[in-house]
């Protein structure tokens, strides 16, 4: 990197910020209100927990404490399990939550190899 290029971390933070703005602009889909994940947690609760973690990540300027990291990882795992059964707006809403969780919890690839432009939720 030449110093003028953003780091992978700043690209991830920007992407999460963009996804979060889109997510906050949508009401919770009615079709998700009565679905439970394999863990037994209802999807509205998973949405609430994940939202709190994303808010903490954004408020921390890209830093998430270990407890919230674990919560967000577990929420994403539960949401991934139900995603194949969802369609339309329900699927889009859940996929966006999963994508934010992935971006926040997974370490970025080596510098110079990150590419968020191919993100299907762009």
């Amino acid at each position: 990197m030449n110093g003028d290029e953003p780091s992978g971390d700043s690209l991830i933070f920007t992407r999460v910020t963009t996804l979060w703005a889109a997510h906050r602009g949508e009401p919770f889909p009615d079709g998700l209100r009565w679905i439970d994940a394999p863990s037994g947690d209802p999807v509205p609760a998973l949405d609430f927990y994940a939202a709190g973690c994303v808010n903490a990540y954004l408020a921390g300027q890209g830093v998430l404490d270990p407890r919230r990291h674990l919560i967000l990882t577990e929420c994403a795992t539960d949401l991934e399990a139900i995603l194949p059964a969802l369609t339309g707006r329900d699927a889009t809403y859940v996929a966006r939550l999963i994508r934010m969780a992935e971006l926040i919890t997974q370490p970025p690839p080596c510098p110079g190899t990150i590419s968020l432009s191919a993100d299907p939720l762009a």
Side-chain angles (χ1 to χ4, degrees):
M1 272 201 237
N2 66 15
D4 293 336
E5 299 171 10
S7 70
D9 289 343
S10 69
L11 289 172
I12 289 169
F13 185 82
T14 299
R15 187 69 188 123
V16 171
T17 301
T18 301
L19 287 167
W20 183 239
H23 194 74
R24 287 186 57 201
E26 286 193 34
F28 188 80
D30 287 334
L32 298 176
R33 291 197 188 282
W34 313 113
I35 298 175
D36 289 340
S39 66
D41 286 321
V43 172
L46 295 172
D47 179 61
F48 178 78
Y49 303 147
C53 295
V54 173
N55 270 327
Y57 169 83
L58 294 173
Q61 295 297 303
V63 177
L64 191 64
D65 64 87
R67 184 176 64 89
R68 286 188 180 96
H69 187 280
L70 178 61
I71 291 168
L72 189 55
T73 300
E74 290 173 349
C75 286
T77 299
D78 268 353
L79 293 170
E80 286 171 351
I82 65 162
L83 183 59
L86 303 177
T87 60
R89 198 167 145 253
D90 296 352
T92 301
Y93 188 93
V94 168
R96 187 173 42 244
L97 271 175
I98 293 167
R99 184 64 183 136
M100 285 186 286
E102 290 171 345
L103 288 168
I104 293 168
T105 62
Q106 295 178 2
C110 296
T113 61
I114 190 166
S115 174
L116 299 177
S117 61
D119 189 337
L121 296 173

